[in-house]
Amino acid sequence: VASKQKTANATGLETFDSYLPAGVSVAELTSVIEQYNRDERVDGILLQLPLPAPLDGAAFVRLIAPEKDADGLHPSNQGLLLQGAPAPRPCTPLGVMALLDVAMSGIALGDGTTLTDIPKASLAGKKAIVIGRSQLVGKPVSFLLLERNATVVMAHSKSPDLPSLCRDADIVVAAVGVPNLVKAEWIKDGAIVLDVGINRLPSGKLVGDVDYESTAKKAFAITPVPGGVGPMTVAMLISNTVENCYRRNGIEIV
Ligand code: NAP
C-alpha cells in the first residue's frame, strides 16, 4: 500500500486514503466506497484485499463504480475482459504482459525508454502455460495471453504432470503461492518465465514460485522476486487510474 501511494504521488496523482479498523461494519465500509464513487475528483478506487473475516471482499468490490475500478476486478470489467472490450484490466496480469513485451522486444528500459516505446509482441504461434487460476491473476492473465493469440494452457492444483506441461511452453507464468515450485528442469531452453508468486520463507526471505537461480540459467528471460511483477503491478494501477480518467472524460486512449 505504501508503495502504491508513493508511486501515485510521484507520478502527480492525488491520493485519498481511508484506513479502517479490522472490525469495520458492513455499513461503514459500504459508505466509504459510495463516498468515493460520488467524489468527482476520484478516477481510481482500490479496495486492498484480502479483507479480514467475516467481510466478503468480492461483495465490496461489486460496490465500486465499474468506471472507477482501478484494479479491474469488478465483475462488469471482468466480463468486458472476456468479451475483449475496453475496460480496466487487472493490474498484475497487465504487469505480466508489459514485462513479456519488454522481454520479447529485447529493448532495455531506462535511459529515457518507457513502456510506451515497447511494441506489443505478437504471440501467435507461442505456447503459454499459466499455473494458477485465481480471479486476481491466473484467469485474467490467461485471457490477456489469448487476446494476443498465444495458445494457452491454464494449469492448477489438479493438473497432472505439471513439469511436462511446462516443458512444452514458450512462456511460463507462475501464479501459485508455493515457494520455488517451478524448477529449471521444467523449463524449455529459451522460454520466458514470469514469476508472480510472493512467498515469505521462515527465514524472512521473499521468494517467488520459480526456483530463480537455476531457472535463470535456462530461460531467455525471467522476472526476479522481489522487484519484477510486483513493481509493475503498481505501475499498472497508476496506468488504469489515468485510463479511467480519460474514459470518464471522453478522451481517446491511444
Ligand atoms: P490463489 O488465489 O491462492 O490461487 C493459487 C492458484 O494456484 C490456484 O488456482 C491453485 O489451484 C493453484 N495451485 C496451488 N498449488 C498448486 C500446485 N502445487 N500446482 C499447481 N497449481 C497450484 O493465489 P493468487 O492470488 O493467484 O496469488 C498467487 C501468488 O501470486 C501468491 O504468491 C501471491 O502472493 C502472488 N501475487 C503477487 C502479486 C504481485 O503483485 N506480484 C499480485 C497478486 C498475487 P486450485 O485453483 O486448483 O486451487
Side-chain angles (χ1 to χ4, degrees), residues 19-66:
Y19 291 99
L20 305 168
V24 64
S25 69
V26 168
E28 199 183 338
L29 181 51
T30 301
S31 147
V32 168
I33 293 173
E34 286 176 346
Q35 177 206 317
Y36 286 131
N37 282 345
R38 285 192 301 272
D39 190 334
E40 271 311 306
R41 297 169 302 171
V42 173
D43 293 293
I45 302 174
L46 161 74
L47 176 65
Q48 186 64 46
L49 300 172
L51 298 187
L55 297 175
D56 174 3
F60 286 99
V61 166
R62 284 198 285 276
L63 299 180
I64 294 173

Side-chain angles (χ1 to χ4, degrees), residues 17-161:
D17 311 305
S18 296
Y19 291 99
L20 305 168
V24 64
S25 69
V26 168
E28 199 183 338
L29 181 51
T30 301
S31 147
V32 168
I33 293 173
E34 286 176 346
Q35 177 206 317
Y36 286 131
N37 282 345
R38 285 192 301 272
D39 190 334
E40 271 311 306
R41 297 169 302 171
V42 173
D43 293 293
I45 302 174
L46 161 74
L47 176 65
Q48 186 64 46
L49 300 172
L51 298 187
L55 297 175
D56 174 3
F60 286 99
V61 166
R62 284 198 285 276
L63 299 180
I64 294 173
E67 69 279 10
K68 292 191 175 186
D69 176 19
D71 253 345
L73 295 179
H74 189 282
S76 300
N77 292 326
Q78 295 214 318
L80 290 166
L81 165 64
L82 277 188
Q83 293 184 345
R89 306 294 197 218
C91 298
T92 301
L94 277 182
V96 167
M97 297 306 289
L99 287 164
L100 181 58
D101 286 334
V102 170
M104 290 187 69
S105 73
I107 301 172
L109 291 179
D111 295 334
T113 310
T114 67
L115 273 181
T116 45
D117 300 323
I118 305 289
K120 298 254 181 285
S122 165
L123 304 183
K126 301 285 180 205
K127 289 183 188 169
I129 184 166
V130 178
I131 316 172
R133 55 175 165 180
S134 68
Q135 294 290 36
L136 189 64
V137 191
K139 280 183 194 162
V141 85
S142 299
F143 282 100
L144 293 180
L145 287 161
L146 191 62
E147 210 168 66
R148 295 270 210 94
N149 300 317
T151 300
V152 185
V153 171
M154 295 173 73
H156 46 78
S157 67
K158 311 287 185 295
S159 300
D161 201 1

Side-chain angles (χ1 to χ4, degrees), residues 184-202:
E185 310 86 80
W186 300 16
I187 300 298
K188 180 161 118 177
D189 278 335
I192 296 176
V193 181
L194 299 127
D195 190 353
V196 179
I198 303 177
N199 309 292
R200 195 172 289 282
L201 297 180

Side-chain angles (χ1 to χ4, degrees), residues 206-218:
L206 276 186
V207 297
D209 291 341
V210 179
D211 185 3
Y212 182 87
E213 295 301 328
S214 58
T215 306
K217 294 184 186 121
K218 228 169 158 204

